[in-house]
PDB file of all heavy atoms in Angstrom:
ATOM      1  N   ASP A  98     -65.389-232.262 -56.318  1.00 65.00           N
ATOM      2  CA  ASP A  98     -65.778-232.483 -54.932  1.00 65.00           C
ATOM      3  C   ASP A  98     -67.218-232.935 -54.858  1.00 65.00           C
ATOM      4  O   ASP A  98     -68.091-232.340 -55.485  1.00 65.00           O
ATOM      5  CB  ASP A  98     -65.637-231.178 -54.142  1.00 65.00           C
ATOM      6  CG  ASP A  98     -64.229-230.620 -54.251  1.00 65.00           C
ATOM      7  OD1 ASP A  98     -63.287-231.418 -54.186  1.00 65.00           O
ATOM      8  OD2 ASP A  98     -64.088-229.404 -54.417  1.00 65.00           O
ATOM      9  N   PRO A  99     -67.499-233.972 -54.067  1.00 70.00           N
ATOM     10  CA  PRO A  99     -68.903-234.342 -53.870  1.00 70.00           C
ATOM     11  C   PRO A  99     -69.591-233.315 -52.968  1.00 70.00           C
ATOM     12  O   PRO A  99     -69.143-233.064 -51.857  1.00 70.00           O
ATOM     13  CB  PRO A  99     -68.813-235.722 -53.205  1.00 70.00           C
ATOM     14  CG  PRO A  99     -67.467-235.773 -52.595  1.00 70.00           C
ATOM     15  CD  PRO A  99     -66.581-234.837 -53.354  1.00 70.00           C
ATOM     16  N   LEU A 100     -70.649-232.728 -53.462  1.00 71.00           N
ATOM     17  CA  LEU A 100     -71.385-231.734 -52.679  1.00 71.00           C
ATOM     18  C   LEU A 100     -72.754-232.285 -52.315  1.00 71.00           C
ATOM     19  O   LEU A 100     -73.367-233.047 -53.061  1.00 71.00           O
ATOM     20  CB  LEU A 100     -71.552-230.431 -53.464  1.00 71.00           C
ATOM     21  CG  LEU A 100     -70.281-229.634 -53.747  1.00 71.00           C
ATOM     22  CD1 LEU A 100     -70.634-228.251 -54.276  1.00 71.00           C
ATOM     23  CD2 LEU A 100     -69.418-229.484 -52.504  1.00 71.00           C
ATOM     24  N   VAL A 101     -73.215-231.861 -51.144  1.00 75.00           N
ATOM     25  CA  VAL A 101     -74.475-232.357 -50.598  1.00 75.00           C
ATOM     26  C   VAL A 101     -75.284-231.168 -50.101  1.00 75.00           C
ATOM     27  O   VAL A 101     -74.721-230.218 -49.554  1.00 75.00           O
ATOM     28  CB  VAL A 101     -74.208-233.334 -49.426  1.00 75.00           C
ATOM     29  CG1 VAL A 101     -75.517-233.792 -48.799  1.00 75.00           C
ATOM     30  CG2 VAL A 101     -73.383-234.519 -49.900  1.00 75.00           C
ATOM     31  N   ASP A 102     -76.601-231.239 -50.308  1.00 72.00           N
ATOM     32  CA  ASP A 102     -77.480-230.211 -49.756  1.00 72.00           C
ATOM     33  C   ASP A 102     -78.223-230.772 -48.554  1.00 72.00           C
ATOM     34  O   ASP A 102     -78.727-231.890 -48.594  1.00 72.00           O
ATOM     35  CB  ASP A 102     -78.506-229.766 -50.811  1.00 72.00           C
ATOM     36  CG  ASP A 102     -77.838-228.997 -51.932  1.00 72.00           C
ATOM     37  OD1 ASP A 102     -76.990-228.158 -51.628  1.00 72.00           O
ATOM     38  OD2 ASP A 102     -78.167-229.257 -53.105  1.00 72.00           O
ATOM     39  N   CYS A 103     -78.293-229.960 -47.513  1.00 73.00           N
ATOM     40  CA  CYS A 103     -79.083-230.345 -46.342  1.00 73.00           C
ATOM     41  C   CYS A 103     -80.548-230.062 -46.635  1.00 73.00           C
ATOM     42  O   CYS A 103     -80.910-228.954 -47.026  1.00 73.00           O
ATOM     43  CB  CYS A 103     -78.635-229.558 -45.116  1.00 73.00           C
ATOM     44  SG  CYS A 103     -79.686-229.856 -43.686  1.00 73.00           S
ATOM     45  N   LEU A 104     -81.406-231.051 -46.435  1.00 70.00           N
ATOM     46  CA  LEU A 104     -82.822-230.877 -46.741  1.00 70.00           C
ATOM     47  C   LEU A 104     -83.555-230.137 -45.634  1.00 70.00           C
ATOM     48  O   LEU A 104     -84.700-229.734 -45.797  1.00 70.00           O
ATOM     49  CB  LEU A 104     -83.475-232.243 -46.976  1.00 70.00           C
ATOM     50  CG  LEU A 104     -82.855-233.062 -48.120  1.00 70.00           C
ATOM     51  CD1 LEU A 104     -83.553-234.403 -48.261  1.00 70.00           C
ATOM     52  CD2 LEU A 104     -82.913-232.299 -49.432  1.00 70.00           C
ATOM     53  N   VAL A 105     -82.895-229.963 -44.498  1.00 69.00           N
ATOM     54  CA  VAL A 105     -83.536-229.276 -43.372  1.00 69.00           C
ATOM     55  C   VAL A 105     -83.219-227.784 -43.385  1.00 69.00           C
ATOM     56  O   VAL A 105     -84.118-226.947 -43.400  1.00 69.00           O
ATOM     57  CB  VAL A 105     -83.094-229.904 -42.031  1.00 69.00           C
ATOM     58  CG1 VAL A 105     -83.671-229.110 -40.862  1.00 69.00           C
ATOM     59  CG2 VAL A 105     -83.550-231.352 -41.970  1.00 69.00           C
ATOM     60  N   CYS A 106     -81.923-227.462 -43.427  1.00 66.00           N
ATOM     61  CA  CYS A 106     -81.564-226.041 -43.327  1.00 66.00           C
ATOM     62  C   CYS A 106     -81.070-225.466 -44.642  1.00 66.00           C
ATOM     63  O   CYS A 106     -80.684-224.312 -44.705  1.00 66.00           O
ATOM     64  CB  CYS A 106     -80.529-225.819 -42.227  1.00 66.00           C
ATOM     65  SG  CYS A 106     -78.864-226.407 -42.664  1.00 66.00           S
ATOM     66  N   ARG A 107     -81.066-226.255 -45.708  1.00 64.00           N
ATOM     67  CA  ARG A 107     -80.727-225.787 -47.052  1.00 64.00           C
ATOM     68  C   ARG A 107     -79.247-225.484 -47.240  1.00 64.00           C
ATOM     69  O   ARG A 107     -78.869-224.883 -48.244  1.00 64.00           O
ATOM     70  CB  ARG A 107     -81.527-224.519 -47.429  1.00 64.00           C
ATOM     71  CG  ARG A 107     -83.033-224.687 -47.372  1.00 64.00           C
ATOM     72  CD  ARG A 107     -83.490-225.571 -48.486  1.00 64.00           C
ATOM     73  NE  ARG A 107     -84.951-225.761 -48.472  1.00 64.00           N
ATOM     74  CZ  ARG A 107     -85.556-226.709 -49.156  1.00 64.00           C
ATOM     75  NH1 ARG A 107     -84.863-227.541 -49.890  1.00 64.00           N
ATOM     76  NH2 ARG A 107     -86.862-226.846 -49.103  1.00 64.00           N
ATOM     77  N   ALA A 108     -78.433-225.841 -46.274  1.00 67.00           N
ATOM     78  CA  ALA A 108     -77.009-225.578 -46.432  1.00 67.00           C
ATOM     79  C   ALA A 108     -76.422-226.519 -47.484  1.00 67.00           C
ATOM     80  O   ALA A 108     -76.881-227.642 -47.653  1.00 67.00           O
ATOM     81  CB  ALA A 108     -76.291-225.782 -45.103  1.00 67.00           C
ATOM     82  N   ARG A 109     -75.422-226.033 -48.186  1.00 67.00           N
ATOM     83  CA  ARG A 109     -74.686-226.905 -49.103  1.00 67.00           C
ATOM     84  C   ARG A 109     -73.265-227.040 -48.579  1.00 67.00           C
ATOM     85  O   ARG A 109     -72.661-226.072 -48.148  1.00 67.00           O
ATOM     86  CB  ARG A 109     -74.644-226.314 -50.509  1.00 67.00           C
ATOM     87  CG  ARG A 109     -73.625-227.024 -51.396  1.00 67.00           C
ATOM     88  CD  ARG A 109     -73.681-226.566 -52.808  1.00 67.00           C
ATOM     89  NE  ARG A 109     -74.900-227.033 -53.444  1.00 67.00           N
ATOM     90  CZ  ARG A 109     -75.205-226.760 -54.703  1.00 67.00           C
ATOM     91  NH1 ARG A 109     -74.416-226.006 -55.422  1.00 67.00           N
ATOM     92  NH2 ARG A 109     -76.304-227.231 -55.228  1.00 67.00           N
ATOM     93  N   PHE A 110     -72.767-228.263 -48.627  1.00 71.00           N
ATOM     94  CA  PHE A 110     -71.444-228.468 -48.059  1.00 71.00           C
ATOM     95  C   PHE A 110     -70.736-229.590 -48.791  1.00 71.00           C
ATOM     96  O   PHE A 110     -71.353-230.360 -49.535  1.00 71.00           O
ATOM     97  CB  PHE A 110     -71.545-228.785 -46.558  1.00 71.00           C
ATOM     98  CG  PHE A 110     -72.419-229.968 -46.248  1.00 71.00           C
ATOM     99  CD1 PHE A 110     -71.859-231.235 -46.118  1.00 71.00           C
ATOM    100  CD2 PHE A 110     -73.796-229.821 -46.086  1.00 71.00           C
ATOM    101  CE1 PHE A 110     -72.663-232.327 -45.847  1.00 71.00           C
ATOM    102  CE2 PHE A 110     -74.595-230.912 -45.813  1.00 71.00           C
ATOM    103  CZ  PHE A 110     -74.031-232.172 -45.691  1.00 71.00           C
ATOM    104  N   ARG A 111     -69.425-229.663 -48.573  1.00 72.00           N
ATOM    105  CA  ARG A 111     -68.635-230.740 -49.150  1.00 72.00           C
ATOM    106  C   ARG A 111     -68.694-231.941 -48.231  1.00 72.00           C
ATOM    107  O   ARG A 111     -68.430-231.837 -47.039  1.00 72.00           O
ATOM    108  CB  ARG A 111     -67.183-230.287 -49.327  1.00 72.00           C
ATOM    109  CG  ARG A 111     -66.973-229.443 -50.556  1.00 72.00           C
ATOM    110  CD  ARG A 111     -65.595-228.863 -50.611  1.00 72.00           C
ATOM    111  NE  ARG A 111     -64.556-229.891 -50.599  1.00 72.00           N
ATOM    112  CZ  ARG A 111     -63.267-229.620 -50.844  1.00 72.00           C
ATOM    113  NH1 ARG A 111     -62.903-228.384 -51.117  1.00 72.00           N
ATOM    114  NH2 ARG A 111     -62.370-230.577 -50.815  1.00 72.00           N
ATOM    115  N   ALA A 112     -69.016-233.104 -48.795  1.00 74.00           N
ATOM    116  CA  ALA A 112     -69.188-234.298 -47.986  1.00 74.00           C
ATOM    117  C   ALA A 112     -67.919-234.627 -47.209  1.00 74.00           C
ATOM    118  O   ALA A 112     -67.973-235.046 -46.056  1.00 74.00           O
ATOM    119  CB  ALA A 112     -69.580-235.476 -48.883  1.00 74.00           C
ATOM    120  N   ASP A 113     -66.759-234.394 -47.848  1.00 70.00           N
ATOM    121  CA  ASP A 113     -65.512-234.777 -47.181  1.00 70.00           C
ATOM    122  C   ASP A 113     -65.129-233.825 -46.060  1.00 70.00           C
ATOM    123  O   ASP A 113     -64.222-234.111 -45.295  1.00 70.00           O
ATOM    124  CB  ASP A 113     -64.382-234.870 -48.217  1.00 70.00           C
ATOM    125  CG  ASP A 113     -64.158-233.544 -48.930  1.00 70.00           C
ATOM    126  OD1 ASP A 113     -65.154-232.844 -49.204  1.00 70.00           O
ATOM    127  OD2 ASP A 113     -63.003-233.199 -49.197  1.00 70.00           O
ATOM    128  N   LYS A 114     -65.818-232.705 -45.973  1.00 70.00           N
ATOM    129  CA  LYS A 114     -65.483-231.758 -44.906  1.00 70.00           C
ATOM    130  C   LYS A 114     -66.561-231.694 -43.835  1.00 70.00           C
ATOM    131  O   LYS A 114     -66.489-230.901 -42.904  1.00 70.00           O
ATOM    132  CB  LYS A 114     -65.271-230.351 -45.490  1.00 70.00           C
ATOM    133  CG  LYS A 114     -63.975-230.242 -46.280  1.00 70.00           C
ATOM    134  CD  LYS A 114     -63.646-228.800 -46.602  1.00 70.00           C
ATOM    135  CE  LYS A 114     -62.282-228.703 -47.283  1.00 70.00           C
ATOM    136  NZ  LYS A 114     -61.969-227.322 -47.687  1.00 70.00           N
ATOM    137  N   ALA A 115     -67.595-232.540 -43.958  1.00 74.00           N
ATOM    138  CA  ALA A 115     -68.687-232.522 -42.990  1.00 74.00           C
ATOM    139  C   ALA A 115     -68.291-233.308 -41.736  1.00 74.00           C
ATOM    140  O   ALA A 115     -67.409-234.163 -41.794  1.00 74.00           O
ATOM    141  CB  ALA A 115     -69.930-233.143 -43.620  1.00 74.00           C
ATOM    142  N   PRO A 116     -68.934-233.000 -40.618  1.00 76.00           N
ATOM    143  CA  PRO A 116     -68.637-233.738 -39.373  1.00 76.00           C
ATOM    144  C   PRO A 116     -68.911-235.232 -39.552  1.00 76.00           C
ATOM    145  O   PRO A 116     -69.973-235.624 -40.013  1.00 76.00           O
ATOM    146  CB  PRO A 116     -69.615-233.125 -38.360  1.00 76.00           C
ATOM    147  CG  PRO A 116     -70.003-231.812 -38.937  1.00 76.00           C
ATOM    148  CD  PRO A 116     -69.939-231.960 -40.414  1.00 76.00           C
ATOM    149  N   GLN A 117     -67.916-236.029 -39.199  1.00 78.00           N
ATOM    150  CA  GLN A 117     -68.036-237.470 -39.397  1.00 78.00           C
ATOM    151  C   GLN A 117     -68.715-238.114 -38.181  1.00 78.00           C
ATOM    152  O   GLN A 117     -68.456-237.737 -37.043  1.00 78.00           O
ATOM    153  CB  GLN A 117     -66.638-238.089 -39.572  1.00 78.00           C
ATOM    154  CG  GLN A 117     -65.842-237.476 -40.726  1.00 78.00           C
ATOM    155  CD  GLN A 117     -66.434-237.809 -42.086  1.00 78.00           C
ATOM    156  OE1 GLN A 117     -66.646-238.965 -42.404  1.00 78.00           O
ATOM    157  NE2 GLN A 117     -66.722-236.774 -42.870  1.00 78.00           N
ATOM    158  N   VAL A 118     -69.592-239.074 -38.456  1.00 79.00           N
ATOM    159  CA  VAL A 118     -70.182-239.907 -37.399  1.00 79.00           C
ATOM    160  C   VAL A 118     -70.122-241.347 -37.911  1.00 79.00           C
ATOM    161  O   VAL A 118     -69.855-241.585 -39.085  1.00 79.00           O
ATOM    162  CB  VAL A 118     -71.649-239.518 -37.090  1.00 79.00           C
ATOM    163  CG1 VAL A 118     -71.719-238.105 -36.554  1.00 79.00           C
ATOM    164  CG2 VAL A 118     -72.500-239.674 -38.342  1.00 79.00           C
TER     165      VAL A 118
END
Side-chain angles (χ1 to χ4, degrees):
Chain A
D98 304 319
L100 293 191
V101 177
D102 291 317
C103 174
L104 301 179
V105 175
C106 73
R107 302 290 180 195
R109 167 173 290 180
F110 56 94
R111 280 172 59 170
D113 60 323
K114 288 192 175 176
Q117 303 292 306
V118 297

